[in-house]
Amino acid sequence: MRLTINRKTHSQGSWDCKRQREIRSTGLEDRMSDVIAALVHASEKAAKIARACRLEKSLFGLLIEEKKEGEKNKKFVTDFKTLADVLVQEVIKHDVGKQFPGIENNIFGEESNEFMNGLGEKINVKVCETEQETAKLLSKVLDGNMEAAEVLARSAHQNIVIPDLDTGKIDIPQDRLGVWVDPIDSTFQYIKGISDSKPNNNIYSHGLQCVTILIGVYDLHSGTPIMGVLNQPFAVQDPETQRWSGQYYWGISYGTTNVCSLRPHSKNRDVSSESNSVSAPHHLKKGSAADLEEERFSAVLSTGETVCVQTLLKGACGDNIHYAAGAGYKSLCVVLGFVDVYVFSEDTTFKWDCCSPHAILKSLGGGMADLRECLRRRQDGNLEDCSELVYNAPVQDAKGADRWANKGGLVAYRSRKHLDAVLNLLSGISV
């Protein structure tokens, strides 16, 4: 089966349940609904679940569970998952798999769907056939709190309407598609729930604004990212009602087509060569103040970045260094052009953190490079070749979540000249 992404022409101007039923009943590939629209739809439903879980503060404590040893991110002494994480992941699997049967077997995520309630009972969270069945299952996790379970089940089964997405037409073999899901990236910020964080140059260092939902599609054979949806469920808070609203971004990069929600459709346009045409020189010039100013770029980092890398980047970026929570949110800062690069030299980001924003950046002419491998190639004299992250190969001999770690660190970028500038700057560090 091939997935055909078509510009929509139906009169409703929206992607809805009726359309899904028509697609399933006809079985015609040329009437198959847009894949990226299905992912956006799933992300919007997921965002509503994330917001619903935070509405009742008295209930939120019931939704949190510490991750088991094999699931933990070693960056954190204590790592948590919430029922929101697990339910969001299962909703995405259920909804996308229902529309494209078989693809659910290739949807992978950060969280296991096993949750333990206050009575010590292990429950496998899933989306059932009916809202009532889902509510009954969730009530077991919530220690019998049916009212809260019904709120979450309603969110999981609700119909979401999204606008048409102007994607053009792309044929994609379904058997080549794998999906990485990070249901709630920056769970720590989600649990803390800080709502009054103030931005610096549009960038939030912490708070609910740093929470993202990430759905990335990659080629199972090559490992390259193809599509990405990045949803920010807590983008704007109404000052009067205190209710949050979200926003989403998407991108497709496949063959000669690169299309993104941030710019018009661009078929047969080689965006990579466009960005390469303004590549930075292969060595940093030392000279006039004008030369130094031209070399300056902006970056977002993790507070856990090494002192060595921070020092080098501060020397090059001056005041244009920012710190923020969440790998997904830091990548979003690059996608939106708030900064030129996101640099992380450690090995505590994962495939589910990066696949979605990587695809969007690729559609914009950028990418997400394997920092250590790029530096190694440069030290071997290969100044042209850039090693991008791939998403189909586990780390050899690793266990648990570490099997899918980005062991070489990463650089997320929109322009090749900024990637080159980072690699030139860090070329002397040990790899």
Side-chain angles (χ1 to χ4, degrees):
M1 180 184 292
R2 297 179 72 85
L3 304 184
T4 302
I5 300 179
N6 286 297
R7 185 178 286 109
K8 299 179 187 64
T9 58
H10 55 288
S11 59
Q12 290 292 325
S14 63
W15 189 94
D16 56 21
C17 290
K18 181 180 178 182
R19 179 65 172 156
Q20 292 181 67
R21 289 194 297 270
E22 289 174 354
I23 292 161
R24 289 195 295 270
S25 65
T26 62
L28 297 175
E29 294 176 12
D30 61 350
R31 295 188 65 189
M32 190 172 287
S33 186
D34 192 341
V35 180
I36 199 74
L39 300 180
V40 168
H41 179 272
S43 82
E44 278 289 87
K45 184 181 283 190
K48 285 183 177 288
I49 293 169
R51 290 190 291 266
C53 282
R54 281 222 57 94
L55 280 178
E56 294 293 336
K57 292 183 180 179
S58 61
L59 298 175
F60 192 64
L62 294 173
L63 312 184
I64 303 169
E65 178 179 281
E66 186 172 353
K67 292 185 181 181
K68 298 180 179 67
E69 195 59 40
E71 301 173 346
K72 287 184 179 181
N73 184 335
K74 63 185 179 183
K75 181 180 176 183
F76 307 112
V77 176
T78 304
D79 197 6
F80 292 94
K81 67 181 176 184
T82 71
L83 182 57
D85 287 276
V86 179
L87 183 58
V88 162
Q89 184 167 289
E90 293 307 305
V91 162
I92 293 168
K93 285 183 179 180
H94 174 270
D95 286 12
V96 177
K98 194 171 183 180
Q99 188 182 351
F100 303 108
I103 200 172
E104 70 274 13
N105 298 322
N106 291 324
I107 298 179
F108 312 107
E110 178 180 8
E111 310 297 353
S112 76
N113 70 335
E114 186 180 275
F115 217 92
M116 187 176 292
N117 66 11
L119 300 175
E121 298 171 325
K122 292 182 179 179
I123 296 123
N124 289 320
V125 176
K126 64 178 182 178
V127 178
C128 303
E129 283 300 309
T130 68
E131 183 178 320
Q132 292 72 24
E133 289 173 320
T134 301
K136 184 177 179 181
L137 176 65
L138 294 177
S139 71
K140 295 179 181 179
V141 179
L142 297 170
D143 296 340
N145 190 323
M146 182 57 78
E147 183 179 354
E150 287 174 346
V151 170
L152 295 181
R154 194 177 307 121
S155 298
H157 286 270
Q158 68 185 312
N159 179 38
I160 302 290
V161 177
I162 64 169
D164 284 353
L165 307 179
D166 184 16
T167 62
K169 181 179 179 180
I170 310 167
D171 287 332
I172 304 176
Q174 182 174 328
D175 60 2
R176 293 182 71 95
L177 298 184
V179 182
W180 279 114
V181 175
D182 191 342
I184 294 183
D185 185 57
S186 198
T187 303
F188 182 65
Q189 296 300 323
Y190 181 63
I191 292 171
K192 287 182 70 176
I194 295 172
S195 60
D196 58 356
S197 177
K198 303 298 181 186
N200 177 20
N201 291 331
N202 297 312
I203 298 170
Y204 290 89
S205 62
H206 63 286
L208 284 169
Q209 292 89 344
C210 298
V211 174
T212 54
I213 294 165
L214 309 171
I215 310 175
V217 179
Y218 66 98
D219 188 315
L220 285 165
H221 299 263
S222 67
T224 57
I226 297 172
M227 305 179 200
V229 175
L230 194 159
N231 197 305
Q232 189 182 20
F234 302 95
V236 180
Q237 187 177 34
D238 187 300
E240 294 184 3
T241 66
Q242 299 300 300
R243 288 185 174 269
W244 288 91
S245 58
Q247 55 194 7
Y248 58 80
Y249 308 91
W250 56 267
I252 304 170
S253 183
Y254 186 74
T256 58
T257 298
N258 290 282
V259 55
C260 179
S261 57
L262 296 173
R263 74 173 184 193
H265 181 262
S266 58
K267 180 124 184 186
N268 298 320
R269 180 180 176 191
D270 187 350
V271 290
S272 60
S273 64
E274 279 184 13
S275 58
N276 287 342
S277 67
V278 289
S279 292
H282 293 305
H283 60 281
L284 289 177
K285 300 175 183 177
K286 303 296 180 184
S288 67
D291 289 336
L292 291 173
E293 186 62 32
E294 187 176 336
E295 292 161 6
R296 288 200 182 278
F297 54 92
S298 57
V300 64
L301 306 176
S302 167
T303 54
E305 185 52 77
T306 65
V307 173
C308 175
V309 170
Q310 288 190 60
T311 301
L312 289 169
L313 286 169
K314 284 177 180 177
C317 299
D319 295 333
N320 294 320
I321 284 281
H322 302 273
Y323 293 89
Y329 178 70
K330 287 191 278 285
S331 298
L332 177 61
C333 290
V334 182
V335 167
L336 295 177
F338 295 159
V339 292
D340 297 316
V341 294
Y342 158 37
V343 180
F344 190 56
S345 65
E346 299 293 287
D347 63 355
T348 50
T349 65
F350 299 86
K351 303 307 180 188
W352 48 78
D353 294 317
C354 297
C355 187
S356 160
H358 191 171
I360 299 173
L361 286 166
K362 208 172 149 216
S363 75
L364 292 165
M368 202 171 281
D370 181 322
L371 175 59
R372 186 181 301 166
E373 184 59 28
C374 286
L375 291 175
R376 184 179 292 117
R377 293 183 186 187
R378 288 207 162 209
Q379 290 171 3
D380 289 341
N382 186 346
L383 303 181
E384 298 292 340
D385 197 12
C386 170
S387 177
E388 294 282 304
L389 296 181
V390 293
Y391 297 91
N392 62 343
V395 178
Q396 285 188 342
D397 301 324
K399 296 181 180 179
D402 284 343
R403 294 178 67 240
W404 301 106
N406 298 312
K407 300 300 286 186
L410 63 90
V411 182
Y413 63 96
R414 276 186 63 157
S415 169
R416 176 63 189 262
K417 70 176 182 179
H418 294 128
L419 172 63
D420 285 340
V422 170
L423 296 178
N424 286 329
L425 187 69
L426 302 182
S427 59
I429 69 173
S430 174
V431 295

